């Protein structure tokens, strides 16, 4: 049995989606798929490449196809020679990759603070979305994880001594490789005074009594005609558009490059200078010893270079 045979519920849907696409591809072209064939798998990867799928996802796609043959078909995997030929075909596709990797620009903390300093926060909607982005920066998460109908008021706990907000992640069961980490993140007044103040004002304005029936409401409400709709959650697309508009008013170059990952990248680069990587992984809800953050999110700023040159 392979180590990834036992899957969590959230991962299982992703595996089934890839396998269903692979089987549909084989059926349409009348390819035999009862046993693994490197030529068929390579043709499937080429098909996805022509559909503008990034080649960086090919490793995960091959793993899901391998899971299918191991658990459903109960057959072995490719021979050593066939695996080498499949690797060569994947390498060829990587060389043909013509689309540049688009990375979100990191959202700096000073950008959020400048919105307040230059009086760009004037409405209830502005205050709510500013709090959402401040939390995304402090928690190193995507806005979709905060602006979700499942992110309820009761999933955030306030502790008075020391003053800290605790975000519980139990509303979405973590993957097996993340279960060893603490299932929560924190925003304290001492370490994150700006994000703490934004979130505290947000609770005072929209959720003054978290123990009431409003505890089952989404944490960040939607807005209609400037008025909050507490039973509905705001959307990540709305938050990204709002962020780009505010950055444009601040004169930040190319604000369209700031997207949902900007808070995650910005928070990582903000804390990596003074916080150990294992603590960052717990706060950002990464898998233990994950290298994704170091490879994908690191951004050398002028402050980094000025310390050496």
């Amino acid at each position: 049995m392979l180590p990834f045979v036992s899957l969590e519920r959230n991962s299982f849907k992703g595996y089934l989606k890839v396998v269903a696409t692979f089987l549909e591809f084989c059926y349409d072209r009348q390819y035999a798929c009862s046993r693994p064939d490197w030529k068929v798998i390579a043709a499937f990867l080429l098909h996805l490449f022509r559909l503008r799928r990034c080649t960086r996802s090919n490793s995960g796609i091959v793993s899901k196809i391998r899971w299918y043959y191991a658990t459903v078909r109960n057959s072995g995997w490719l021979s050593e020679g066939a695996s080498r030929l499949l690797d060569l075909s994947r390498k060829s596709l990587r060389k043909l990759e013509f689309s540049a990797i688009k990375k979100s620009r990191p959202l700096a903390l000073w950008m959020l603070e400048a919105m307040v300093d230059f009086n760009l926060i004037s409405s209830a909607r502005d205050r709510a979305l500013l709090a959402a982005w401040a939390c995304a920066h402090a928690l190193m998460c995507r806005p979709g994880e905060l602006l979700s109908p499942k992110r309820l008021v009761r999933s955030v706990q306030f502790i008075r001594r020391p003053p800290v907000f605790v975000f519980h992640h139990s509303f979405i069961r973590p993957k097996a490789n993340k279960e060893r980490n603490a299932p929560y993140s924190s925003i304290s007044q001492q370490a994150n005074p700006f994000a703490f103040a934004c979130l505290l004002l947000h609770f005072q304005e929209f959720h003054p009594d978290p123990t009431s029936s409003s505890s089952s409401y989404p944490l960040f409400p939607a807005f209609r005609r400037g008025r909050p709709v507490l039973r509905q959650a705001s959307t990540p697309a709305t938050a990204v558009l709002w962020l780009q508009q505010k950055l444009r008013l601040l004169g930040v170059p190319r604000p369209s490059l700031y997207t949902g990952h900007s808070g995650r990248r910005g928070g990582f680069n903000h804390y990596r200078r003074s916080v150990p990587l294992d603590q960052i992984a717990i706060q950002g809800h990464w898998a233990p010893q994950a290298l994704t953050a170091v490879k994908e999110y690191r951004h050398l700023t002028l402050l980094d270079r000025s310390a050496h040159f």
Side-chain angles (χ1 to χ4, degrees):
M1 299 293 286
L2 297 174
F4 45 75
V5 166
S6 179
L7 298 174
E8 298 296 334
R9 184 176 182 180
N10 295 335
S11 301
F12 188 66
K13 294 181 180 179
Y15 274 65
L16 289 182
K17 183 178 180 180
V18 172
V19 171
T21 306
F22 172 70
L23 295 179
E24 182 181 7
F25 169 82
C26 296
Y27 178 79
D28 291 341
R29 291 159 180 78
Q30 297 183 355
Y31 291 157
C33 59
S34 58
R35 297 189 61 84
D37 187 343
W38 77 269
K39 295 181 180 179
V40 176
I41 300 174
F44 177 62
L45 297 179
L46 178 61
H47 168 71
L48 297 179
F49 178 78
R50 290 173 175 172
L51 296 177
R52 302 295 181 90
R53 285 287 296 271
C54 181
T55 57
R56 291 190 301 164
S57 61
N58 286 349
S59 179
I61 293 173
V62 173
S63 297
K64 292 174 176 62
I65 296 175
R66 183 177 180 179
W67 166 84
Y68 163 73
Y69 282 110
T71 57
V72 180
R73 290 288 185 177
N74 292 323
S75 61
W77 186 234
L78 300 173
S79 63
E80 182 178 353
S83 297
R84 185 167 57 252
L85 292 174
L86 179 61
D87 291 339
L88 290 175
S89 65
R90 290 169 53 189
K91 185 177 180 180
S92 300
L93 286 179
R94 287 197 299 268
K95 291 182 178 180
L96 292 175
E97 179 71 76
F98 57 87
S99 59
I101 300 175
K102 297 181 179 179
K103 295 182 179 180
S104 302
R105 288 196 173 180
L107 177 65
L109 181 59
W110 69 263
M111 297 178 182
L112 298 174
E113 295 173 341
M115 296 179 188
V116 180
D117 296 338
F118 287 94
N119 298 321
L120 299 182
I121 308 301
S122 57
S123 64
R125 179 174 178 268
D126 289 340
R127 291 189 290 272
L129 292 176
L130 176 66
W133 278 108
C135 291
H137 184 275
L139 300 174
M140 290 175 286
C141 67
R142 309 171 189 87
E145 299 176 32
L146 295 174
L147 305 176
S148 168
K150 295 182 179 180
R151 172 58 75 182
L152 305 179
V153 175
R154 62 169 175 258
S155 67
V156 182
Q157 179 185 5
F158 177 69
I159 301 176
R160 295 184 179 276
R161 295 183 181 179
V164 59
F165 285 100
V166 179
F167 285 72
H168 295 272
H169 300 307
S170 56
F171 72 101
I172 295 179
R173 186 178 180 182
K175 295 181 180 179
N177 60 352
K178 295 184 179 182
E179 289 181 346
R180 295 181 181 178
N181 281 345
Y184 55 84
S185 302
S186 61
I187 298 179
S188 66
Q189 186 180 29
Q190 179 180 359
N192 295 293
F194 181 79
F196 181 88
C198 290
L199 189 59
L200 182 62
L201 293 175
H202 177 78
F203 267 91
Q204 292 176 351
E205 182 172 3
F206 299 103
H207 311 293
D209 187 10
T211 60
S212 64
S213 59
S214 63
S215 63
S216 60
Y217 292 169
L219 179 59
F220 295 100
F223 284 82
R224 291 181 181 175
R225 298 179 180 179
R227 295 184 178 181
V229 183
L230 297 179
R231 294 181 180 272
Q232 297 182 10
S234 186
T235 62
T238 300
V240 171
L241 181 61
W242 177 89
L243 177 67
Q244 294 174 352
Q245 292 174 346
K246 297 300 181 182
L247 294 179
R248 187 175 293 106
L249 293 175
L250 287 175
V252 176
R254 303 184 70 181
S256 61
L257 297 180
Y258 292 84
T259 61
H261 261 82
S262 294
R264 192 167 170 86
R265 291 195 71 199
F268 171 79
N269 286 282
H270 178 79
Y271 296 112
R272 66 178 173 81
R273 303 187 188 95
S274 57
V275 181
L277 287 178
D278 59 339
Q279 295 291 328
I280 291 178
I282 294 175
Q283 177 77 350
H285 215 220
W286 278 291
Q289 300 179 351
L291 298 178
T292 304
V294 180
K295 292 182 179 179
E296 299 294 332
Y297 293 161
R298 189 181 183 191
H299 178 78
L300 294 178
T301 63
L302 291 176
L303 291 177
D304 295 316
R305 282 172 272 181
S306 63
H308 303 285
F309 303 102

